[in-house]
Amino acid sequence: MNKKHEITQEFLNNILESMEGGVLTVNTEGQITSFNHSAEEITGFSKEEALGKDCHDILRSEICKDACPLEETIKTGKPIYNYEIIIKSKSGEKVPVNITSSPLRDSSNKIFGTVENFRDLTKHKGLWGRLREEKNRAQRYLNIAGVTIVAINEKGITTLINRKGCEVLGYEEEEIIGKNWFDLVVPEELRQKRKQTFANVMAGETKEIEDYENLIVTKSGEERIVDWHNTTLTDEKGQIIGTLSSGEDITMRKQTEAELIRTEKLASLGQLAASVAHEVNNPIAGILVYVSLLLKKHKEQNIQTEATETQLLKMKKELERTARIITNLLDFSRQSEPNIRPIEVNATIEAALQLVEHQISLESIRLDKKLDPKLPLIRADFDKIQQVLINIILNATQAMSDGGTLTITTSAAEGIKIDSSIKDTVRIDITDTGIGIPEENISKLFTPFFTTKEKGKGVGLGLPMVHGIIEKHGGRIDVDSKPNQGTTFTLYLEVMDGK
Ligand SMILES: Nc1ncnc2c1ncn2[C@@H]1O[C@H](COP(=O)(O)OP(=O)(O)O)[C@@H](O)[C@H]1O
Ligand SMILES: [Mg+2]
């Protein structure tokens, strides 16, 4: 090597090392022959690791596999400017770079390799960098959301999902993005219908339903209930290009609602069981006496007397009563399916009273029924309304442990305001002369687990359950109470053919 050449080489090396962009040179075989400091920083590979390696093994870009800018330069002898590729750094990170490739020629103008210089676009303070920053920021916002956020394009392909969505569904982001949303997460039996609705919305034929509950299936095959809020996405011309939805996993809430009704039912059953057992025991004791009498007569062959007939009839009556009580209790304890049908309010009250009558008489409470015989029918779930009445009546009896009067009144009440509508209703007033409710407790009555009763007597789920059932029926419940004087619970239930 002569002196002049040495200076030139060193001079060149200095220039290369001081350059901000990554620079590497390759020979005609594609092997790396030089690698500057910036190239080390961008790729994460050291000079020692890179030298002599195939360029593809260091840049590791998917695009270069099919269309290698370097081969192109060597073949045509023409530079390629600003070719954008995504390389994979040594640590596996994807880095978008802008690459320019120019031929290297020897003194006889023969190409002996290429020089590649590339810039890390994420570091570049240009549009690319800003866009990427924006996207990262948006993704961060989406990721702290406690609900699923998902965007679907007009073909039903998922284009965005946040972290919560991945968690709920049990998939990695890569497993969801680019896939058909409906094929991936909608249960098979609902899929066709949902796809059709979506297609109609995309075609602008139907408006997207803004709020609905729907089932989804997670990766592990579990079904979850999600409450969705949707909005359609449009381009600058107003063309529909997809939907953006947020969804809240309400599976737990739904289960809790059902659980609440079950728990309260068990609690009131527990309270009822003792009194019903008592109630059933009396007629059975009576029947036993008659049976013994009849057995004695039978032995004496003295059986067909008038007295015998009277005794048998009494037994029959008592047995019928026992059977009725048991049937009613069993009906009440049964897990009934929702069953909305026309019902008579007075009959429902009588059925509820049959179960609590004994409790009422035990507490020496006088029962005053003022039932209007000409009430219109209401559309309701008999079992659920019965459960509501039992809870309110039991609360009333528990509030009158020193006795008192329980008054149950029914009447037709027209033009009652319920939420924002005016309805024709049947009104039920259940009034006690008990301890009353202090002003500050009135607002807490419908909160789950609010109770003033000792352990074993109350769990505080009765009125929340009552409220839930009445609300589901589109009805209304009012409370009026004066401490030490008594309480009235008023229910309004819409009549069947009301305005
Ligand atoms: N008729 C009533 N008179 C006085 N207090 C009442 C009456 N009804 C309800 N309450 C009050 O409301 C609370 C909540 O009632 P509820 O939800 O049925 O639960 P629980 O009966 O298990 O306590 C009761 O603990 C009681 O303090
Ligand atoms: Mg109660």
Side-chain angles (χ1 to χ4, degrees):
M1 249 189 246
N2 64 30
K3 183 104 176 139
K4 194 179 163 198
H5 190 82
E6 232 174 312
I7 290 168
T8 315
Q9 185 67 51
E10 197 188 321
F11 181 63
L12 276 176
N13 277 343
N14 281 340
I15 292 180
L16 275 184
E17 289 307 322
S18 68
M19 278 178 76
E20 206 197 331
V23 179
L24 61 84
T25 57
V26 296
N27 61 20
T28 47
E29 261 79 62
Q31 284 158 337
I32 296 176
T33 49
S34 65
F35 202 71
N36 78 344
H37 182 65
S38 287
E40 286 181 320
E41 279 191 338
I42 298 172
T43 63
F45 287 104
S46 70
K47 187 173 184 166
E48 288 71 33
E49 287 172 310
L51 288 181
K53 293 269 166 54
D54 190 310
C55 176
H56 290 156
D57 293 337
I58 297 298
L59 295 189
R60 308 198 289 169
S61 155
E62 295 293 324
I63 304 170
C64 292
K65 269 191 204 153
D66 302 324
C68 175
L70 194 149
E71 280 169 18
E72 187 73 12
T73 308
I74 292 176
K75 207 162 74 197
T76 61
K78 283 191 193 128
I80 290 180
Y81 297 105
N82 297 326
Y83 193 73
E84 272 189 20
I85 61 171
I86 293 174
I87 65 168
K88 200 149 92 191
S89 76
K90 187 178 175 185
S91 62
E93 202 187 338
K94 289 177 182 163
V95 188
V97 299
N98 176 306
I99 194 162
T100 292
S101 151
S102 326
L104 291 170
R105 295 171 195 274
D106 61 15
S107 46
S108 59
N109 214 23
K110 192 164 159 279
I111 294 176
F112 69 87
T114 61
V115 54
E116 316 256 314
N117 60 70
F118 49 100
R119 268 180 315 157
D120 180 348
L121 288 172
T122 55
K123 297 239 172 61
H124 190 56
K125 288 269 172 274
L127 196 56
W128 227 105
R130 281 211 300 278
L131 264 177
R132 210 180 138 91
E133 251 171 47
E134 273 307 316
K135 188 170 169 265
N136 281 343
R137 190 182 345 221
Q139 191 75 38
R140 274 205 302 278
Y141 289 155
L142 291 180
N143 280 348
I144 59 163
V147 295
T148 295
I149 295 175
V150 60
I152 305 174
N153 73 10
E154 75 276 17
K155 295 197 183 72
I157 304 295
T158 316
T159 55
L160 174 149
I161 183 137
N162 70 340
R163 191 177 300 150
K164 181 74 189 177
C166 295
E167 263 170 42
V168 171
L169 291 168
Y171 288 105
E172 296 295 322
E173 189 180 348
E174 296 89 80
E175 295 177 287
I176 304 178
I177 301 291
K179 300 269 166 60
N180 185 297
W181 173 258
F182 304 98
D183 290 339
L184 193 67
V185 308
V186 176
E188 212 177 329
E189 63 274 15
L190 303 172
R191 196 173 293 154
Q192 237 7 71
K193 212 167 139 224
R194 287 286 300 125
K195 276 187 176 176
Q196 190 53 51
T197 314
F198 184 78
N200 292 347
V201 172
M202 287 304 108
E205 283 160 15
T206 43
K207 227 173 88 83
E208 175 80 21
I209 312 153
E210 277 165 19
D211 190 3
Y212 64 91
E213 281 174 19
N214 216 337
L215 275 181
I216 55 161
V217 195
T218 67
K219 189 176 181 180
S220 61
E222 194 189 343
E223 287 195 339
R224 318 230 24 122
I225 309 166
V226 177
D227 184 15
W228 292 107
H229 293 263
N230 312 288
T231 177
T232 47
L233 298 172
T234 49
D235 62 13
E236 63 273 24
K237 291 189 212 103
Q239 204 73 34
I240 298 172
I241 53 165
T243 58
L244 180 67
S245 311
S246 72
E248 191 188 348
D249 185 348
I250 56 167
T251 320
M252 279 290 279
R253 203 205 298 160
K254 286 266 150 182
Q255 280 166 358
T256 316
E257 267 173 31
E259 200 65 39
L260 181 69
I261 292 184
R262 267 200 299 278
T263 312
E264 170 56 25
K265 206 165 192 180
L266 279 178
S268 38
L269 261 177
Q271 290 171 23
L272 288 175
S275 70
V276 169
H278 213 273
E279 201 165 353
V280 170
N281 214 21
N282 284 344
I284 286 180
I287 294 163
L288 270 176
V289 172
Y290 290 126
V291 170
S292 317
L293 263 174
L294 285 170
L295 270 174
K296 198 163 158 254
K297 282 186 179 172
H298 179 71
K299 271 198 193 127
E300 292 161 2
Q301 308 260 320
N302 180 20
I303 204 139
Q304 270 172 347
T305 66
E306 207 171 303
T308 312
E309 194 179 347
T310 316
Q311 284 157 359
L312 278 170
L313 283 174
K314 273 192 178 152
M315 282 167 66
K316 184 162 172 266
K317 210 169 138 227
E318 292 294 86
L319 279 173
E320 276 166 0
R321 187 172 137 70
T322 313
R324 250 197 338 269
I325 295 167
I326 301 271
T327 310
N328 212 337
L329 187 67
L330 285 178
D331 275 354
F332 179 66
S333 63
R334 190 183 67 214
Q335 288 274 347
S336 54
E337 289 295 310
N339 179 13
I340 303 278
R341 57 192 168 86
I343 65 169
E344 279 176 41
V345 168
N346 291 345
T348 320
I349 292 176
E350 294 290 0
L353 280 175
Q354 222 179 54
L355 285 173
V356 291
E357 238 164 18
H358 195 74
Q359 182 95 2
I360 295 173
S361 61
L362 269 183
E363 309 270 358
S364 48
I365 292 165
R366 207 172 68 83
L367 176 64
D368 193 1
K369 284 189 278 185
K370 295 178 181 161
L371 307 183
D372 181 343
K374 288 204 221 59
L375 287 179
L377 294 175
I378 64 167
R379 182 176 287 282
D381 187 322
F382 184 92
D383 291 357
K384 295 269 157 52
I385 300 297
Q386 192 188 8
Q387 207 183 340
V388 163
L389 295 168
I390 285 174
N391 183 65
I392 297 178
I393 295 170
L394 281 179
N395 279 349
T397 55
Q398 286 167 338
M400 298 187 284
S401 48
D402 295 332
T405 306
L406 175 72
T407 313
I408 302 182
T409 315
T410 56
S411 57
E414 289 171 7
I416 300 298
K417 190 162 186 291
I418 299 179
D419 292 329
S420 52
S421 37
I422 304 288
K423 296 176 176 175
D424 288 347
T425 66
V426 168
R427 171 177 172 157
I428 310 168
D429 290 293
I430 300 172
T431 303
D432 65 64
T433 55
I435 52 173
I437 304 166
E439 176 79 42
E440 67 269 22
N441 284 352
I442 295 277
S443 62
K444 302 179 200 154
L445 291 181
F446 300 106
T447 320
F449 305 112
F450 171 75
T451 181
T452 56
K453 293 169 194 171
E454 63 198 78
K455 227 175 161 193
K457 281 234 159 178
V459 283
L461 289 175
L463 290 176
M465 180 269 313
V466 164
H467 188 262
I469 292 175
I470 296 300
E471 193 176 53
K472 278 233 160 69
H473 279 79
R476 183 176 128 186
I477 178 165
D478 292 347
V479 192
D480 185 30
S481 186
K482 285 202 182 66
N484 301 320
Q485 290 188 27
T487 307
T488 298
F489 278 86
T490 303
L491 303 174
Y492 296 95
L493 291 162
E494 195 180 5
V495 305
M496 234 176 90
D497 305 305
K499 284 197 284 285

